[in-house]
Amino acid sequence: MRSSYLVFGQPLIEPPEIDEVVASMKSSWLGTGPKVAEFEKRIAAYKGVPHALALNSCTAGLHLACVVLGLQPGDEVITTPMTFCASVNAIVHAGATPVLADVDPATMNLDPEQVRRKITKRTKALLPVHFAGRPCDMDPLMAIAKEHRLVVIEDCAHAIETEYRGQKAGTIGDLGVLSFYSTKNIVTGEGGMVLTRSPELARRIKVMGLHGMSADAWKRFSDDGYKHYDVEEIGFKYNMMDLQAAIGLHQITRVEPWWQRRWQIWQRYMSELADVPIGLPAGWPAHERHALHLFVLQVDQARCGLSRDELLMALHRLNIGTGVHYRSIPSLSVYQRRFGWQREDTPVATTIGDRALSLPLSPKLGDGDVGDVIAAVRAALRR
Ligand SMILES: *Cc1c(COP(=O)(O)O)cnc(C)c1O
């Protein structure tokens, strides 16, 4: 058994970002400034999209996306039950009504046929989540959106590297939103970014993300002197700090080598757990690029003798931290109370959520750590 606890979802922080944060502190630009602008440029270039707007979280970005796309009370937004609560909360914060469609059992992503069944006269938007980093089947989803004149917001919290038929995730719908939360593929501590091809949506995200003010605060005090600002709308305080962008600027340079490292870990898990009676992630077709954000096992007690929670606790006792992504949204009490949702409403997602266990997949893991995870899973299942 390992001597130290292996924490799930640890970010890899290297000296260049530590130095850059210190440089930010010394330059006195703590808030939104030149480093945020530079980080936006680098993400836009990586994603091949004209506009990228940095914010203080993906949750803020999803909320702003709903706001700038004009969602109103009574409007319905179809999303997935196999997601983090933030995807659903953002819809509620914008005053719209979330509607859940069940997922496909293999991809764990929104099933376009189930989405079709949930369309009503009030449906205004789709909010697909590229779960674990695997792209949603965007062609049928975009076809449904076109047919019913819906806007599409892609939750790309897991999906920085994700591609679908040559298109980068987050550039297929109207708006895509990335997360740089501490456990995601690249991190800024807290942080998010909205991607769009539309200059008008980009401008509105920028304005609404900073109080509704017409110009960036940092430009107000630039070298060319003070300029008056206007407040055009009642906005939010969602801007990213230079201190956060200082981290992201260096993280983005390693996005591809880290993906390669996670791919090695992924393949080791696939081959060295192949004979264990637990479900491993499904394969994907050549036209998809998986971001390899989460390695989600399916633990079926009838097959392996342990419930998900029992395996989770056994691994914990063996000093291996794991995650649960996710308990299905209708399993959570607030949604049952507020919307009357029941676990049986989305049976595929609920079964996946009851069995889901995520193994560590951080590029911070050494080969020894990966070996420890594999050995612990085998020991817990006595294989
Ligand atoms: C992490 C996550 C979010 C929220 O991201 P934050 O940056 O923490 O706000 C939203 N959706 C999904 C699917 C996530 O995993």
Side-chain angles (χ1 to χ4, degrees):
M1 173 170 138
R2 339 176 7 108
S3 52
S4 64
Y5 197 80
L6 184 64
V7 177
F8 178 85
Q10 278 194 94
L12 184 45
I13 305 292
E14 295 189 0
E17 45 268 47
I18 295 172
D19 295 344
E20 191 83 42
V21 168
V22 172
S24 273
M25 304 280 287
K26 289 185 175 161
S27 80
S28 301
W29 268 123
L30 304 182
T32 306
K35 286 183 183 164
V36 167
E38 183 60 28
F39 186 39
E40 290 176 336
K41 257 195 226 160
R42 303 247 186 118
I43 295 287
Y46 178 73
K47 281 292 195 178
V49 71
H51 307 284
L53 298 311
L55 299 168
N56 58 15
S57 74
C58 172
T59 307
L62 292 168
H63 176 211
L64 278 187
C66 293
V67 169
V68 304
L69 288 168
L71 296 178
Q72 301 284 333
D75 291 349
E76 294 178 354
V77 181
I78 300 177
T79 190
T80 169
M82 188 42 55
T83 189
F84 187 54
C85 60
S87 320
V88 178
N89 292 353
I91 298 167
V92 179
H93 288 320
T97 303
V99 172
L100 301 179
D102 210 351
V103 299
D104 176 276
T107 68
M108 303 184 184
N109 276 324
L110 271 178
D111 177 346
E113 264 322 298
Q114 298 292 333
V115 170
R116 226 173 243 293
R117 289 191 202 165
K118 297 290 177 163
I119 303 268
T120 71
K121 282 200 198 66
R122 292 177 299 279
T123 309
K124 290 286 154 45
L126 304 181
L127 199 160
V129 178
H130 304 293
F131 176 74
R134 179 169 178 165
C136 291
D137 198 359
M138 292 306 289
D139 278 355
L141 290 177
M142 294 306 290
I144 293 168
K146 196 168 175 205
E147 187 182 328
H148 297 276
R149 295 167 189 266
L150 313 175
V151 291
V152 177
I153 302 163
E154 299 175 68
D155 181 334
C156 296
H158 303 174
I160 184 158
E161 306 90 343
T162 302
E163 295 178 23
Y164 175 85
R165 297 192 192 280
Q167 297 165 278
K168 309 240 183 195
T171 70
I172 304 169
D174 295 270
L175 294 168
V177 191
L178 298 169
S179 174
F180 309 119
Y181 178 67
S182 308
T183 57
K184 303 293 159 82
N185 286 358
I186 71 166
V187 308
T188 60
E190 298 284 357
M193 205 170 292
V194 179
L195 312 172
T196 186
R197 298 186 185 286
S198 157
E200 179 49 25
L201 287 176
R203 207 190 76 86
R204 290 220 51 228
I205 292 279
K206 193 136 195 156
V207 168
M208 291 303 283
L210 193 65
H211 306 293
M213 282 169 40
S214 54
D216 311 73
W218 66 282
K219 281 192 197 138
R220 275 190 286 147
F221 302 101
S222 67
D223 293 345
D224 13 303
Y226 180 86
K227 291 191 198 80
H228 278 305
Y229 63 90
D230 185 27
V231 180
E232 302 172 10
E233 296 188 77
I234 307 292
F236 301 89
K237 184 65 167 62
Y238 281 167
N239 54 304
M240 179 181 277
M241 299 166 74
D242 262 26
L243 282 178
Q244 296 166 303
I247 308 170
L249 277 176
H250 295 279
Q251 294 265 311
I252 185 63
T253 65
R254 302 181 207 115
V255 65
E256 288 301 318
W258 283 350
W259 183 92
Q260 296 291 346
R261 174 60 186 153
R262 292 196 308 280
W263 179 226
Q264 288 174 344
I265 299 170
W266 186 285
Q267 288 175 298
R268 245 190 103 185
Y269 284 155
M270 291 301 288
S271 70
E272 295 180 39
L273 295 173
D275 61 328
V276 170
I278 44 178
L280 298 176
W284 55 91
H287 66 260
E288 296 182 3
R289 183 179 198 219
H290 198 307
L292 312 176
H293 176 56
L294 296 171
F295 190 93
V296 181
L297 300 174
Q298 286 285 288
V299 185
D300 177 0
Q301 185 160 15
R303 247 184 96 194
C304 75
L306 293 185
S307 70
R308 185 269 314 279
D309 291 354
E310 287 166 347
L311 180 55
L312 186 152
M313 282 312 297
L315 293 172
H316 171 71
R317 284 191 295 266
L318 292 168
N319 272 347
I320 305 294
T322 55
V324 173
H325 302 88
Y326 293 99
R327 298 176 70 198
S328 75
I329 292 290
S331 301
L332 306 172
S333 63
V334 70
Y335 305 106
Q336 297 172 355
R337 287 201 306 278
R338 174 123 178 208
F339 301 107
W341 291 341
Q342 295 181 354
R343 283 164 47 79
E344 305 74 47
D345 296 345
T346 54
V348 179
T350 292
T351 301
I352 291 171
D354 289 349
R355 295 177 177 176
L357 185 71
S358 305
L359 296 183
L361 191 62
S362 158
K364 194 166 181 173
L365 301 181
D367 290 339
D369 297 322
V370 178
D372 289 344
V373 174
I374 292 164
V377 171
R378 300 185 69 88
L381 296 169
R382 291 191 178 75
R383 285 278 157 158

